[in-house]
Amino acid sequence: MMSFQLEKELVREFYAAMDGASDGQITRVIETYCAADYLWRGFHPFNELANAAEVARKFWIPLRSALACMQRRMDVFMAGRNEIDGFESTWVVSMGHLAGLFDQAWLGIQPTRKMTFLRYCEFHRVDEGKITETAMFFDIPHLMMQAGLQPFPPQTAAHLVQPGPMTHDGLLYGPQDPAEGERTLAAINHMIDDIKDWTGGRKEPLTEELRRSWSEDMIWWGPAGIGATYTIERYAEQHAGPFRDGFGERIFNGHKCRLAEGRFGGFFGWPNLTLTPTGGFMGMPATGKPGDMRVIDIYRREGSKLSENWIFIDLLHFWNQQGVDILARSIRTGL
């Protein structure tokens, strides 16, 4: 039985050290817990950073200066072996919010002096007692909307500060039954395999396809710009249908990591998808330009089907590839 306790303890110690560090100590903390050739992947405009000093200088110090009294509020914490490399590498996953008082500008977004949440999810690869890779995805448009900006046209679904699992059992600090993780990974893979031919060849209603993988009362916690939606019927209407209709050529690039532990699991890609907009998706025009989508999905399984799904999509990066700098436009216009 693989308990992943050493890897989990390392990441929790890393978080505690980061939370207690001053700005001047952050680089040293990262150097202590991460490998010398540490690779950090983050959403636009950060992208790939290749050492502790860069990660501290470009991301953590500015963010912590902006969100005063910042605290990490985790909703999911799990670990597992990565199916993508034949279950060779071990990764630890954390998801929740970074909360603080938005007291200084960040990325040009003006402060509100109010409590603000940054949705995040991190995948950490752990090798021989060190974190060697991190994929940290965070919903910048969600923070922008809390600051009064409207980076996108009206959403098809609901804009919310998103809660964690309905069952309140996503913090898997201790060992888990490996059979439960195997069932969760099988449910995730069934869903992935079932949608691989979503290019228009099927004649069945979308809701019939979804019911093979999802509970009837599923909740899809989507990113700002799309929103959250509840039940299979509304998910098909408010996201899955518009998403499939909004793109012509679709290329699945695969995942960097896919794992499960207990009744939770997920994956990330860099990028997961390459899509060509045909117009209409998120109220944006057609461009004819292929664009990459970097995505994290986190799932909760109930029985044999998926019941909740938290999504992180680098929409700033995707639309920037289409020639629209959402962040700069919103800051320039104040909208």
Side-chain angles (χ1 to χ4, degrees), residues 155-166:
Q155 304 185 143
T156 53
H159 171 69
L160 304 166
V161 174
Q162 299 181 1
M166 186 178 69

Side-chain angles (χ1 to χ4, degrees), residues 78 82-84 91 93 121-123 135 137 184-185 187-193 195 214 220 252 254-260 264-273 293-299 306 309-312:
M78 61 181 172
N82 179 12
E83 181 185 35
I84 302 305
W91 295 69
V93 181
C121 188
E122 287 181 288
F123 278 63
F137 292 7
T184 302
L185 190 59
I188 293 170
N189 284 331
H190 175 269
M191 179 272 300
I192 293 170
D193 291 339
I195 65 173
W214 297 92
W220 191 84
F252 176 60
H255 300 137
K256 291 288 186 182
C257 178
R258 185 160 69 236
L259 58 81
F264 293 85
F267 53 72
F268 83 90
W270 192 261
N272 308 48
L273 302 165
M293 277 195 174
R294 305 161 171 172
V295 185
I296 277 179
D297 277 58
I298 300 296
Y299 298 91
L306 304 173
N309 184 197
W310 294 263
I311 312 291
F312 299 78

Side-chain angles (χ1 to χ4, degrees), residues 88-105:
E88 289 294 322
S89 59
T90 298
W91 295 69
V92 179
V93 181
S94 163
M95 187 200 79
H97 294 83
L98 301 176
L101 299 170
F102 193 8
D103 282 355
Q104 294 187 35

Side-chain angles (χ1 to χ4, degrees), residues 79-275:
R81 289 292 182 94
N82 179 12
E83 181 185 35
I84 302 305
D85 62 11
F87 301 100
E88 289 294 322
S89 59
T90 298
W91 295 69
V92 179
V93 181
S94 163
M95 187 200 79
H97 294 83
L98 301 176
L101 299 170
F102 193 8
D103 282 355
Q104 294 187 35
W106 185 57
L107 301 176
I109 307 165
Q110 293 305 300
T112 63
R113 301 191 69 252
K114 298 178 181 179
M115 189 177 188
T116 302
F117 288 79
L118 178 65
R119 295 181 64 229
Y120 84 92
C121 188
E122 287 181 288
F123 278 63
H124 299 287
R125 176 171 175 163
V126 178
D127 294 292
E128 299 181 351
K130 293 285 187 178
I131 299 169
T132 56
E133 293 182 47
T134 295
M136 184 172 183
F137 292 7
F138 34 86
D139 197 336
I140 296 173
H142 185 260
L143 185 145
M144 295 169 70
M145 292 171 72
Q146 293 171 75
L149 300 175
Q150 295 298 327
F152 299 110
Q155 304 185 143
T156 53
H159 171 69
L160 304 166
V161 174
Q162 299 181 1
M166 186 178 69
T167 48
H168 301 282
D169 58 355
L171 299 176
L172 308 184
Y173 293 141
Q176 305 295 311
D177 180 354
E180 288 293 303
E182 290 171 6
R183 283 192 281 270
T184 302
L185 190 59
I188 293 170
N189 284 331
H190 175 269
M191 179 272 300
I192 293 170
D193 291 339
D194 203 31
I195 65 173
K196 279 185 177 177
D197 60 350
W198 59 294
T199 55
R202 286 185 175 174
K203 302 301 182 184
E204 65 179 339
L206 175 57
T207 52
E208 289 187 15
E209 174 200 310
L210 294 171
R211 287 190 172 99
R212 287 195 291 271
S213 299
W214 297 92
S215 301
E216 195 67 35
D217 61 349
M218 66 169 290
I219 303 179
W220 191 84
W221 300 105
I226 301 171
T229 185
Y230 172 48
T231 75
I232 284 178
E233 295 280 353
R234 296 298 171 88
Y235 171 63
E237 173 191 332
Q238 296 173 354
H239 173 65
F243 185 82
R244 297 188 187 198
D245 292 342
F247 298 101
E249 183 181 1
R250 309 171 181 97
I251 300 171
F252 176 60
N253 300 306
H255 300 137
K256 291 288 186 182
C257 178
R258 185 160 69 236
L259 58 81
E261 187 182 28
R263 292 187 295 111
F264 293 85
F267 53 72
F268 83 90
W270 192 261
N272 308 48
L273 302 165
T274 301
L275 306 172

Side-chain angles (χ1 to χ4, degrees), residues 42-69:
F43 275 1
H44 177 86
F46 299 97
N47 303 302
E48 292 189 358
L49 304 176
N51 60 67
E54 287 287 279
V55 176
R57 181 176 64 85
K58 292 186 176 180
F59 179 73
W60 280 113
I61 293 174
L63 178 63
R64 289 186 15 156
S65 297
L67 295 184
C69 306

